[in-house]
Amino acid sequence: MPFTIHDLAATIDARAAAGGEASYTRKLLDKGPEHCAKKLGEEAVETVIAAIGNDRDHLIAETADLLFHLLVLLKSRGVAIADVEAALAQRTGMSGLEEKAARKRD
């Protein structure tokens, strides 16, 4: 069975609950949401650089880092992956252009 984003979220939840100095996840969370957001930004830039460099393996590795740090940031703000999935599900009934126009009205 393949490893999924839900598996990653569960691992982050477990490491956050366990605490301890050995957990990179716990260290990130202990530094607060602002630090987690900064780390996400750094990983986003690294992912963009990997994509521009046209190195598939590097892009995959950086994307894995990006997804991990995104989920840690969400955890730091009490947002579950299910919350994001619900927002995505609401968008599936309309085109991307319609969805963007609807957001501008809110």
Side-chain angles (χ1 to χ4, degrees), residues 1-97:
M1 189 172 199
F3 188 81
T4 69
I5 195 134
H6 289 277
D7 295 328
L8 179 57
T11 299
I12 290 168
D13 287 345
R15 290 182 181 162
E21 283 297 308
S23 171
Y24 176 65
T25 302
R26 183 73 258 157
K27 286 180 182 181
L28 287 171
L29 291 169
D30 286 346
K31 290 181 180 179
E34 294 81 8
H35 180 78
C36 294
K38 181 180 175 214
K39 289 300 293 179
L40 176 65
E42 291 170 6
E43 295 302 335
V45 169
E46 290 173 8
T47 303
V48 169
I49 291 168
I52 291 169
N54 199 27
D55 180 338
R56 185 177 188 278
D57 291 338
H58 189 206
L59 177 58
I60 290 168
E62 292 299 342
T63 301
D65 291 346
L66 180 65
L67 290 173
F68 167 79
H69 284 88
L70 174 60
L71 292 181
V72 170
L73 175 61
L74 293 176
K75 176 77 175 169
S76 76
R77 288 295 190 195
V79 176
I81 193 70
D83 299 327
V84 176
E85 288 174 326
L88 289 169
Q90 289 178 344
R91 298 177 184 187
T92 61
M94 63 178 79
S95 76
L97 294 174

